[in-house]
Amino acid sequence: LGGEPYVLGVDVGGTKVADGLDTPDGKVLENARAAMKVDGSAEEALQCVFNAIEQVFERSNGRRATSIGIASPGPLDPIRGVVLLAPNLPCWREFPLRDAIQDHYRIPTRLDNDANAAGLAEAAWGAGAGHRSVLYITIGTGIGTAIILNQHVYYGRTGAAGEGGHMTIDHRGEVRCGCGKHGCIEGLAAGPAIAALAKERLKQDPEQGGSLLRAINQSAGSVTEVIVNAAARREPIAEEIVQQVIEYLGIWIGSMIDLLEPDIIVVGGGVGARLAGWFDHLSECAAKWSINPRAREIRIVPAHYGADSGLAGSAALWYCQDKSASEAVRHPS
Ligand SMILES: [Zn+2]
């Protein structure tokens, strides 16, 4: 084991930093985590990342990390390695996270948003392995997407491609997304949107909805969890709510199939995992909203990586891509 080089993968989140030494097949050897302080100064937050990295270095037993990969919530600029103004990371505005880490440790460092990183890991080692084109979707408190072609992230002209969560589904609707636009799929079908939709619907029908509302208020888990479990027990009102969410997602995915015709669609994230029992129905619905006569053949499958998708993804930035994001979008001048 001694001389082999490893990637130090770092997953920056709103409450913690997780990191580990990753092997070329996507396994994590040493795991560490440190608390993340997002409401202080940029320097304090950076120190949290250093703390997590030091822990892994201390335990590495002579195993060398020759590169560092970082997955962080967006929006961020993977070309310049800069965190822009991520809602989950108020500590960093236009913060050059990649260079701050690279300069500190003098180890080549790559930074990408968590959806791109996780999508790359799924395409290389996870549920999308063996496919040339993978559409990765993560559904949690927001909706993120990544387009992976031949095991490379599709970055677009400046690195801003793949923000599929902000495609408008209902421009006349009242729902306003966190990004400021009306009717984005994120504003309609991410965790908070499902919770709002459910509470609204349950209130309209106190007789049927009352017991579910109480279950939601008493549950330590998410609203989505309660609703999806009730739908699995075939409670009509819960089924109706999930059906509505699946319909929104189906309209959206149908359009993406028309645009991309990917080999496979991988769905991850906390809410995405809960909806896995509905993927067959989702595929049917997406086919209805697509003009592709073979849309139904495109499988929608649950992601392989759960909470550790950022750790695998940050390593995938090195193991799976032979170029950094800035090299990938560099235009001949
Ligand atoms: Zn939006």
Side-chain angles (χ1 to χ4, degrees):
L1 274 172
E4 228 174 304
Y6 296 90
V7 172
L8 178 76
V10 185
D11 179 23
V12 178
T15 56
K16 65 177 193 312
V17 183
D19 64 338
L21 268 190
D22 293 57
T23 65
D25 55 355
K27 294 206 174 63
V28 184
L29 293 184
E30 293 292 346
N31 251 310
R33 54 182 52 199
M36 179 67 180
K37 186 171 175 5
V38 296
D39 50 2
S41 70
E43 275 304 315
E44 281 176 281
L46 182 62
Q47 191 57 52
C48 297
V49 179
F50 290 161
N51 291 345
I53 292 176
E54 306 295 338
Q55 284 185 50
V56 170
F57 280 158
E58 275 164 28
R59 289 188 218 157
S60 59
N61 285 326
R63 290 181 293 227
R64 291 182 306 129
T66 50
S67 46
I68 298 176
I70 312 162
S72 175
L76 60 77
D77 179 343
I79 312 302
R80 293 185 298 132
V82 170
V83 175
L84 300 174
L85 23 85
N88 295 341
L89 302 170
C91 48
W92 291 332
R93 292 185 163 246
E94 286 280 330
F95 184 73
L97 180 60
R98 180 192 63 201
D99 288 354
I101 290 173
Q102 186 163 266
D103 295 348
H104 187 82
Y105 291 105
R106 297 181 186 282
I107 296 175
T109 301
R110 290 178 181 175
L111 168 72
D112 213 323
N113 73 58
D114 37 23
N116 278 348
L120 203 51
E122 290 294 341
W125 307 307
H131 295 280
R132 284 172 311 163
S133 54
V134 177
L135 171 62
Y136 173 74
I137 297 172
T138 172
I139 311 176
T141 52
I143 294 185
T145 60
I147 303 159
I148 313 294
L149 305 172
N150 297 315
Q151 303 219 356
H152 284 74
V153 172
Y154 173 72
Y155 282 109
R157 189 175 70 92
T158 67
E163 289 292 343
H166 299 286
M167 285 166 71
T168 300
I169 299 301
D170 179 14
H171 78 100
R172 289 183 170 171
E174 288 162 15
V175 174
R176 201 179 180 125
C177 177
C179 73
K181 293 202 300 178
H182 280 272
C184 296
I185 187 65
E186 173 170 308
L188 294 169
I194 298 175
L197 179 75
K199 284 180 177 164
E200 185 62 35
R201 179 67 190 84
L202 295 176
K203 269 185 214 148
Q204 287 167 10
D205 189 343
E207 210 169 300
Q208 265 200 77
S211 64
L212 264 180
L213 262 182
R214 275 193 299 281
I216 286 169
N217 291 331
Q218 286 161 7
S219 163
S222 67
V223 176
T224 312
E225 186 179 343
V226 175
I227 295 296
V228 170
N229 288 345
R233 292 192 305 269
R234 312 228 53 173
E235 288 187 32
I237 196 162
E239 278 190 303
E240 194 190 303
I241 292 163
V242 176
Q243 191 86 36
Q244 174 70 69
V245 172
I246 294 295
E247 182 81 12
Y248 284 139
L249 290 171
I251 293 169
W252 176 56
I253 291 175
S255 292
M256 290 209 287
I257 288 174
D258 287 337
L259 182 67
L260 299 170
E261 202 194 31
D263 290 321
I264 194 163
I265 299 172
V266 177
V267 181
V271 174
R274 297 224 174 274
L275 293 174
W278 292 73
F279 284 0
D280 198 47
H281 184 65
L282 177 58
S283 173
E284 215 170 85
C285 189
K288 203 177 75 190
W289 287 95
S290 165
I291 62 156
N292 189 319
R294 300 178 66 172
R296 194 71 175 87
E297 294 171 14
I298 300 173
R299 288 190 305 133
I300 300 177
V301 299
H304 170 76
Y305 294 100
D308 51 349
S309 67
L311 268 188
S314 49
L317 295 176
W318 282 100
Y319 285 128
C320 308
Q321 300 200 119
D322 53 6
K323 289 179 185 150
S324 69
S326 47
E327 287 163 335
V329 302
R330 192 167 292 153
H331 297 287
S333 48

